[in-house]
Amino acid sequence: MHKILITGSIHEIGLELLHREKNIKIRYAPELSHKEILKIISDFHCIVTRSETAIPREMIDIASNLKVIARAAVGVGNIDVDYATEKGILVINTPGKNTTSAAELTIGLLLSSVRNIVSAHTHMSELKWDRHAFTGTELLGKSIGIIGLGNVGHRVARYAKAFEMEVLAYDPYISDEVFERHHAKKCTWLELLKSADVISMHVPKKEETTEMIGSEEFGIMKSGVVILNTARGGVIQEKDLLEALKSGKVAAAGIDTWEVEPPAENPFCDFPQVVMSPHVGAST
């Protein structure tokens, strides 16, 4: 009998499929803390998680029976993959499965931020009616700079085209054919930063993308730029984004992923032009 520990929130359909399988025993415990997982992980042959659980070297050393680490999400940034491989543990994930969800959320955050939808909703919830306080910006004719033209990025490009936006993209790992197929203008890093009215992050978190955008990059951007991050927390330096919002260099932002999840403090709450969500890009 193989034992599976599920520490990420999994849809009931997925749980039902797992329960149908013979010779496996499931413990579904998305509420477990890191310390609690360390106490029991040695009993399990497989752990299934999402973003909630980090699986570092410490946990892998304790998990003496572990054969498989499965992440029900796109990335593997919360798993020490190299050490797991060294220990003979298979690491698997689900690339592409949240492509549409994340791309749609990106457009939702963009529309919400440029049309002041959240502030307008709050205003009406207080039985107020000031139509002129929420004048927004059209997307028509604006340029969106997509950083990372992979699964999510290329779908955002397609959606942006429906709004008749100009699509700029930066991705040194993608062929010219992919840019052409998705009607995206291939840009250098500096060209994109200088030219885009909206900048949207769609990169995995690794050494070269961590703190990819900070004060220097904000200094290059247009005044009034809109920033979107539905990729990974930490690819944008939050303290520098805060300063750019204060100065007006960044006019608005949509943020789904955070440097620390959940944030212990959240100074972005002070900015009505920032639309926030708690890492729900894949939650459909």
Side-chain angles (χ1 to χ4, degrees), residues 16 19 62 102 105 111 121 130 150 153 178 188 218 222 228 280:
E16 181 183 340
H19 281 298
I62 294 171
L105 179 70
L111 288 169
H121 171 83
D130 184 355
V178 175
T188 66
F218 285 122
K222 288 183 175 182
L228 304 171
V280 298

Side-chain angles (χ1 to χ4, degrees), residues 34-271:
H34 184 78
K35 286 184 178 180
E36 290 171 321
I37 294 170
L38 290 177
K39 291 177 182 177
I40 64 172
I41 189 64
S42 61
D43 290 336
F44 292 90
H45 303 94
C46 171
I47 182 169
V48 179
T49 186
R50 292 180 67 183
S51 302
E52 295 91 342
T53 305
I55 305 180
R57 177 183 290 250
E58 172 195 23
M59 187 179 294
I60 293 169
D61 279 336
I62 294 171
S64 54
N65 289 308
L66 202 60
K67 303 297 182 187
V68 177
I69 300 169
R71 187 159 190 256
V74 173
V76 289
N78 59 335
I79 302 168
D80 190 331
V81 177
D82 291 339
Y83 193 60
T85 303
E86 183 183 322
K87 291 290 187 177
I89 299 169
L90 179 66
V91 179
I92 58 177
N93 63 341
T94 54
K97 292 302 180 184
N98 68 347
T99 294
T100 298
S101 300
E104 288 181 357
L105 179 70
T106 303
I107 297 299
L109 291 173
L110 175 57
L111 288 169
S112 295
S113 59
V114 300
R115 293 306 305 271
N116 303 306
I117 292 173
V118 175
S119 297
H121 171 83
T122 301
H123 181 79
M124 287 207 67
S125 297
E126 297 168 353
L127 295 179
K128 296 178 181 177
W129 184 270
D130 184 355
R131 296 174 60 197
H132 304 293
F134 304 103
T135 301
T137 301
E138 289 185 355
L139 298 180
L140 175 66
K142 301 295 189 301
S143 59
I144 182 169
I146 296 173
I147 299 175
L149 198 61
N151 286 329
V152 178
H154 83 252
R155 193 166 286 270
V156 171
R158 289 171 58 186
Y159 295 163
K161 277 294 182 182
F163 287 94
E164 298 184 47
M165 300 182 77
E166 179 188 13
V167 177
L168 315 176
Y170 169 78
D171 194 324
Y173 301 105
I174 296 293
S175 69
D176 290 350
E177 184 275 329
V178 175
F179 285 86
E180 293 168 7
R181 189 188 335 146
H182 299 296
H183 307 288
K185 179 182 176 182
K186 185 177 182 179
C187 295
T188 66
W189 180 238
L190 286 177
E191 285 171 345
L192 186 143
L193 293 177
K194 288 179 180 179
S195 303
D197 298 304
V198 178
I199 292 180
S200 190
M201 304 298 293
H202 301 288
V203 294
K205 188 177 181 182
K206 47 188 179 180
E207 185 175 353
E208 66 186 289
T209 60
T210 298
E211 299 187 346
M212 192 176 191
I213 291 184
S215 58
E216 182 179 348
E217 289 73 26
F218 285 122
I220 296 169
M221 295 176 193
K222 288 183 175 182
S223 288
V225 68
V226 177
I227 300 294
L228 304 171
N229 186 12
T230 57
R232 286 288 179 266
V235 298
I236 296 176
Q237 296 181 52
E238 290 180 4
K239 60 180 177 57
D240 293 337
L241 176 55
L242 280 167
E243 292 304 314
L245 284 161
K246 289 176 184 176
S247 70
K249 181 77 176 194
V250 172
I255 310 170
D256 183 52
T257 54
W258 306 85
E259 288 179 359
V260 177
E261 296 185 350
E265 297 178 352
N266 194 343
F268 289 98
C269 295
D270 297 330
F271 296 88

